Amino acid sequence: MKKRIRKAVFPAGGLGTRFLPATKVIPKEMLALVDKPIIQYGVEEAIASGIEHIIIVTGRGKSAIADHFDHSFELEATLERRGKHELLAVSRGVSGLARISYVRQKEPLGLGHAVLCAKDLVGDEPFAVVLPDDVIDAKVPCLRQMIRVFDQRGGSVLATQTVEGPGISAYGVLSGSQDPDNPRIYNCTGMVEKPKFEDAPSKQAIIGRYVLTPRVFELLEQTTPGAGGEIQLTDGILALVKEEKVFGYTFEGKRFDAGDKFGMLQATVEFALKRSDLGPQFREYLKGLQL
Ligand code: UTP
């Protein structure tokens, strides 16, 4: 049963503690990278990858996300009255981006639990998961690259990046072997969450993009919560690996962890430098700092 990937789940129910105090009131997913909330980068990537239906898993204090993707009547009427047509198009463009549904995760019980909250909206078809704090700069959208692998190989696909050195301990790491036909593909036999550097089974670190078959929902339902009462997505995927083909895929592009202060700073510098309206001025400013 190979079906087209039409839906993408965006888990956005977490507390964003790494970015306190900014995230005390403002959802992490709404923090601006240059001038756009980080979740919008993911939504645009999903649409550019052929996704037709976005499902955002929200929680307490996250209503700004739904407001952002909705019409803003007062703002748009004011911009129209003032003749600010470019800004009006920007605002209208956001609300016209995609078909978006929302489901609430009543308590932040883990990433696996958040994905499970989308089960009824996804139904019995393969789907994508996009973690909004991972912002990816790529010529071909990362999710599109992954969907291509899914279409060719017919199994779940986990995006990975190669991490050299002890930094690997911050990630879930794949075990398995590189595919003989395509060095970007990794035939996955398992994974270890945040291993010690010396215990890491490979250099393939899992990042926040997944294409999964719906079987993962049943497996997540059977997963017993781990430490802190959380249901981890990794546990569901580990169970999936035992039953179905699962591939790692080293995507082409650069990923930034915008849910982390340092990652957000890196992304801000690189995205701003690439902007035609800001880049030249910003480059001069940075040069002038004489670091
Ligand atoms: P993170 O661990 O990066 O997010 O989860 P967090 O828990 O919000 O952040 P920190 O670590 O406290 O700073 C990855 C993604 O999973 C979502 C988060 O919103 C984030 O997009 N998530 C996490 C949920 O939707 N529900 C959860 O229970 C946990």
Side-chain angles (χ1 to χ4, degrees):
M1 173 218 49
K2 206 173 83 181
K3 289 187 186 163
R4 212 157 56 82
I5 310 291
R6 302 184 305 138
K7 301 180 182 178
V9 176
F10 282 62
L15 297 175
T17 55
R18 282 173 297 158
F19 233 118
L20 280 168
T23 46
K24 198 174 166 198
V25 177
I26 297 166
K28 169 175 71 173
E29 298 76 13
M30 288 302 295
L31 295 176
L33 170 51
V34 186
D35 55 4
K36 221 192 267 184
I38 57 175
I39 192 169
Q40 192 177 331
Y41 288 89
V43 168
E44 288 174 357
E45 176 190 327
I47 294 162
S49 304
I51 296 294
E52 294 161 8
H53 187 175
I54 305 273
I55 298 157
I56 302 181
V57 183
T58 66
R60 278 185 66 78
K62 301 277 184 166
S63 55
I65 299 175
D67 285 344
H68 177 69
F69 289 109
D70 207 347
H71 287 290
S72 174
F73 179 75
E74 301 86 342
L75 173 68
E76 286 165 19
T78 306
L79 291 173
E80 191 150 35
R81 210 173 45 244
R82 293 184 183 165
K84 306 262 187 197
H85 299 296
E86 266 180 41
L87 292 175
L88 183 62
V90 169
S91 177
R92 286 200 175 137
V94 176
S95 49
L97 268 177
R99 175 178 169 212
I100 304 184
S101 302
Y102 299 90
V103 58
R104 265 176 86 116
Q105 183 186 25
K106 288 188 185 143
E107 263 182 276
L109 293 177
L111 178 56
H113 180 260
V115 171
L116 199 46
C117 291
K119 181 182 178 219
D120 289 345
L121 282 168
V122 172
D124 188 27
E125 59 182 276
F127 63 103
V129 175
V130 174
L131 303 195
D133 29 355
D134 273 359
V135 177
I136 297 179
D137 184 25
K139 277 204 194 92
V140 177
C142 177
L143 200 53
R144 181 187 282 260
Q145 299 176 40
M146 297 169 70
I147 291 173
R148 214 178 269 161
V149 177
F150 172 84
D151 288 341
Q152 287 164 359
R153 302 286 178 119
S156 297
V157 184
L158 320 175
T160 63
Q161 64 181 22
T162 307
V163 176
E164 305 282 351
I168 194 86
S169 300
Y171 297 88
V173 181
L174 292 189
S175 56
S177 58
Q178 202 175 40
D179 192 88
D181 297 328
N182 184 343
R184 290 195 173 274
I185 295 180
Y186 203 78
N187 295 305
C188 176
T189 54
M191 66 197 69
V192 188
E193 196 55 49
K194 301 190 172 65
K196 281 192 198 144
F197 172 48
E198 50 281 17
D199 298 335
S202 74
K203 292 176 181 173
Q204 298 309 305
I206 304 169
I207 61 111
R209 300 284 184 278
Y210 310 78
V211 172
L212 300 170
T213 60
R215 173 72 179 141
V216 79
F217 289 125
E218 289 157 353
L219 296 169
L220 282 170
E221 276 168 341
Q222 292 160 21
T223 303
T224 38
E230 293 203 345
I231 296 180
Q232 298 304 338
L233 182 59
T234 324
D235 291 334
I237 299 175
L238 257 179
L240 194 66
V241 170
K242 297 202 176 94
E243 296 184 6
E244 296 179 0
K245 282 187 290 182
V246 175
F247 302 98
Y249 177 70
T250 318
F251 68 98
E252 281 178 72
K254 190 164 179 184
R255 166 248 182 199
F256 298 89
D257 181 2
D260 169 80
K261 290 170 199 174
F262 187 63
M264 179 64 118
L265 287 171
Q266 289 172 305
T268 302
V269 171
E270 296 210 24
F271 277 67
L273 285 173
K274 280 191 175 194
R275 288 267 296 250
S276 57
D277 56 341
L278 291 168
Q281 189 187 2
F282 190 45
R283 186 175 306 274
E284 286 311 307
Y285 168 73
L286 290 178
K287 276 189 197 155
L289 290 178
Q290 292 171 340
L291 300 171

